[in-house]
């Protein structure tokens, strides 16, 4: 077994200096498509293979999201290296074992009771989407890691300047940020911390399509371009579309939802750049109750059908899907699902938003991606900061799914055509 880890065809050169970094904390942040998570996965794999003893913990806010992010990224890289014969991957629980030395990679979600305390003698942690982890959860995790040399890796986009990560690790941004995003190592206020900033321009393997998409944000949304293209700290967002919402925790979720009227499932299609999103919507006491069921990229319709069955969606449950893909709707209908198209037409987006805003919104704490959308979905602003009453077309996949259900179930008369329902005002 020989893998040349210095080979630039394997490693993005921008991250090579971090491979042997010995600091307690390694923070990798910046824009999208800069290969932050890919390198973190590579480092975890290499430490697992070459160290006599290594026990990494994969950490995210929600355990359910680790399988399709960190766990899958590591598996993809192991396959690309041709090393699958040397590893064992199990999904229940999520665990990776390197056969030659018994080193393990273990998953922990901060929404689970035992979290990281139950892991004996960990040597490392990888926090994915670190900005979604609260300060108290971080403190509980980092202080629970005891033993020998421990290293904690964090990957994230700098969405909010007010985030605790900024004040805990970073100096004043005026001392390091450049408006064009072209800077790399950032001095931390902590002596035990290395911080690396990257953008897609530092990724030698970024596709032209991805680069073009990221640059297009410049003319669509200034704050989005600033955060996700240039990797600069974003400001507090103005013009949020949904403000009257709150969480209810997982311990209460099932009891509350069982006693509330089920309105339907909303489905928003995605594939390469956007996720396929499914949200279960309930209604009662002038309140919409939302529960994220699925939020995943790269799914074929066949895979989606299997996933929907696994999520407990039955042939009698009503599903309202984006009408932009009639072929996909027909395929899911043929697969036994009670699915029909959402109404679309002139001003239907604003009409749907207006209807949703008539309700209070309560969202389950496990609805990780939907919560992010609620925090970021906003109106376009003109150069003077005035709302244009047109939503920015970002952070809206799960929320679009909600809109389809609310529009079709509360505002529209129904009739059947060829087994699939069509709608008119």
């Amino acid at each position: 077994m020989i893998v040349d880890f210095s080979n630039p065809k394997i490693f993005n050169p921008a991250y090579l200096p971090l491979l042997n970094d010995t600091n307690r904390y390694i923070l990798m942040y910046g824009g999208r498509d800069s290969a932050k998570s890919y390198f973190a996965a590579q480092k975890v794999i290499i430490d697992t293979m070459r160290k006599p003893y290594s026990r990494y913990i994969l950490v995210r806010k929600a355990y359910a999201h680790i399988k399709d992010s960190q766990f899958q990224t590591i598996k993809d890289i192991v396959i690309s290296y041709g090393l699958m014969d040397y590893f064992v991957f199990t999904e229940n629980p999520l665990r990776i074992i390197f056969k030659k030395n018994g080193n393990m990679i273990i998953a922990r979600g901060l929404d689970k009771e035992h979290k990281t305390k139950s892991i004996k003698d960990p040597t490392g942690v990888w926090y994915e989407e670190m900005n979604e982890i609260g300060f108290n959860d971080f403190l509980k995790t980092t202080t629970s890691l005891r033993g020998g040399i421990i290293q904690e890796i964090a990957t994230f986009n700098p969405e909010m300047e007010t985030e605790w990560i900024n004040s805990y690790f970073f100096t004043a941004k005026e001392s390091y940020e450049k408006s064009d995003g072209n800077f790399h190592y950032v001095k931390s206020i902590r002596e035990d911390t290395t911080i690396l900033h990257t953008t897609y321009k530092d990724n030698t393997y970024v596709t032209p399509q991805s680069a073009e998409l990221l640059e297009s944000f410049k003319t669509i949304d200034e704050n989005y371009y600033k955060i996700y293209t240039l990797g600069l700290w974003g400001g507090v967002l103005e013009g949020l579309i949904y403000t009257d919402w709150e969480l209810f925790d997982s311990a209460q979720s099932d009891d509350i939802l069982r006693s509330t009227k089920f309105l339907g499932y909303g489905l928003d299609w995605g594939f390469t750049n956007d996720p396929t999103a499914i949200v279960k919507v309930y209604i009662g006491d002038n309140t919409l109750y939302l529960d994220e069921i699925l939020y995943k990229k790269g799914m074929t319709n066949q895979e989606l059908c299997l996933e929907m069955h696994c999520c407990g969606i039955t042939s009698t449950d009503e599903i309202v899907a984006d009408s932009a893909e009639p072929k996909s709707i027909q395929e899911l209908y043929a697969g036994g699902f009670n699915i029909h198209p959402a109404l679309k037409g002139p001003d239907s987006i604003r009409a749907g938003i207006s209807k949703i805003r008539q309700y209070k919104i309560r969202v389950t704490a496990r609805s990780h991606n939907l919560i992010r959308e609620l925090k970021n979905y906003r109106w376009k602003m003109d150069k003077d900061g005035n709302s244009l009453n047109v939503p920015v077309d970002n952070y809206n996949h799960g929320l679009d799914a909600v809109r389809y259900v609310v529009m079709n179930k509360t505002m529209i008369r129904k009739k059947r055509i060829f087994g699939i329902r069509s709608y008119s005002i």
Side-chain angles (χ1 to χ4, degrees), residues 188-205:
S188 174
I189 60 175
R190 298 180 58 94
E191 292 296 327
D192 59 354
T193 300
T194 299
I195 303 175
L196 178 66
H197 170 273
T198 52
T199 70
Y200 78 90
K201 294 179 181 179
D202 298 297
N203 182 4
T204 55
Y205 310 112

Side-chain angles (χ1 to χ4, degrees), residues 101-138:
N101 55 22
N103 285 342
M104 288 191 292
I105 304 168
I106 302 166
R108 285 292 184 272
L110 298 179
D111 57 340
K112 299 292 184 180
E113 289 182 10
H114 300 298
K115 301 184 180 179
T116 58
K117 289 184 178 180
S118 60
I119 296 177
K120 185 177 185 299
D121 300 327
T123 60
V125 177
W126 172 19
Y127 304 95
E128 175 75 321
E129 305 284 6
M130 177 75 152
N131 51 315
E132 296 176 356
I133 295 172
F135 183 54
N136 288 337
D137 275 335
F138 167 73

Side-chain angles (χ1 to χ4, degrees), residues 32 213 217 224 268-277 295-299 393-397:
R32 284 188 173 172
L213 176 65
F217 295 149
Y224 200 88
D268 190 54
W269 308 103
F271 192 70
T272 302
N273 294 317
D274 298 325
T276 296
Y295 203 94
K296 188 175 181 180
K297 294 181 181 178
M299 299 190 73
D393 189 21
N394 293 314
Y395 289 109
N396 55 354
H397 306 293

Side-chain angles (χ1 to χ4, degrees), residues 1 3 75-87:
M1 178 182 60
V3 180
K75 189 172 185 178
D76 290 344
I77 293 171
V78 167
I79 291 172
S80 71
Y81 284 170
L83 298 175
M84 275 298 284
D85 289 344
Y86 297 94
F87 285 86

